[in-house]
Amino acid sequence: EAQVTQNPRYLITVTGKKLTVTCSQNMNHEYMSWYRQDPGLGLRQIYYSMNVEVTDKGDVPEGYKVSRKEKRNFPLILESPSPNQTSLYFCASTTDGGGTYNEQFFGPGTRLTVL
Amino acid sequence: AQSVTQPDIHITVSEGASLELRCNYSYGATPYLFWYVQSPGQGLQLLLKYFSGDTLVQGIKGFEAEFKRSQSSFNLRKPSVHWSDAAEYFCAVEGNAGNMLTFGGGTRLMVKP
């Protein structure tokens, strides 16, 4: 089954304790991205990657890191989480459309609470 | 920069009634527009999309949307709402940075029996 998986689905942590949220897709997609969802703000892009070893900032990259060492994986790293990073996080992937749109597939979400 | 506005944060309709969710966008070129639905505790599912051509697009679950360039709108409609349609709905536009989606703030739909 074609899918995007995220782990963990739920995480409660404390300020300053480094964490990683994993994202993996099995569709051989070039393009992957991370979004955070906050009430009234919709989804905002944090980082995206157009292929292996190619990453770039989205709209709200502060406080986050990413890496893309393999095509299928795109982990989101919070080196020193703060309470304002409490949010619902979504990973998404799609093929590189080369100027045409290809549907983005979203993971199930990771609900993060930083105390 | 592109932006999307969904003016209605919450909407409540009776089951069987018609539905229209509003979406206004700001984008300098011909937009790619989308509607996604998010059921409670779930990820996002694509309902429909507009790229070009016919301005009335049909989607899954009986939804449709109409692109109106003059009004910069892409409103979502359904003639008869079912209780299972209760969810949050997001309008989005594809941005310049290749495959980057800009989302509206979402509209939460509640359906009364």
Side-chain angles (χ1 to χ4, degrees), chain B residues 85-98:
Chain B
D85 293 323
E88 189 155 21
Y89 292 80
F90 293 95
C91 183
V93 63
E94 185 178 344
N96 293 319

Side-chain angles (χ1 to χ4, degrees), chain B:
Chain B
Q2 64 277 359
S3 65
V4 179
T5 302
Q6 294 179 245
D8 305 304
I9 297 174
H10 293 99
I11 282 185
T12 300
V13 299
S14 298
E15 190 167 17
S18 63
L19 171 70
E20 181 169 28
L21 302 182
R22 296 184 291 166
C23 171
N24 294 98
Y25 68 90
S26 172
Y27 188 61
T30 300
Y32 290 173
L33 295 160
F34 312 91
W35 275 99
Y36 284 85
V37 60
Q38 183 181 31
S39 298
Q42 303 297 312
L44 282 82
Q45 182 182 22
L46 181 66
L47 281 176
L48 49 79
K49 56 185 182 286
Y50 170 79
F51 295 158
S52 64
D54 193 347
T55 56
L56 184 64
V57 293
Q58 302 296 320
I60 62 172
K61 304 185 179 186
F63 286 92
E64 65 178 27
E66 186 171 13
F67 170 60
K68 294 185 177 179
R69 184 187 299 275
S70 62
Q71 299 177 19
S72 297
S73 69
F74 188 56
N75 294 348
L76 182 71
R77 301 194 294 247
K78 187 170 185 178
S80 178
V81 170
H82 187 263
W83 64 266
S84 61
D85 293 323
E88 189 155 21
Y89 292 80
F90 293 95
C91 183
V93 63
E94 185 178 344
N96 293 319
N99 292 329
M100 179 178 129
L101 289 171
T102 297
F103 287 84
T107 298
R108 184 169 296 279
L109 172 66
M110 297 182 65
V111 180
K112 294 189 299 184

Side-chain angles (χ1 to χ4, degrees), chain A residues 75-95:
Chain A
L76 179 69
I77 303 156
L78 284 72
E79 295 270 5
S80 183
S82 62
N84 64 12
Q85 293 178 297
T86 292
S87 187
L88 179 58
Y89 292 86
F90 287 99
C91 181
S93 76
T94 186
T95 58

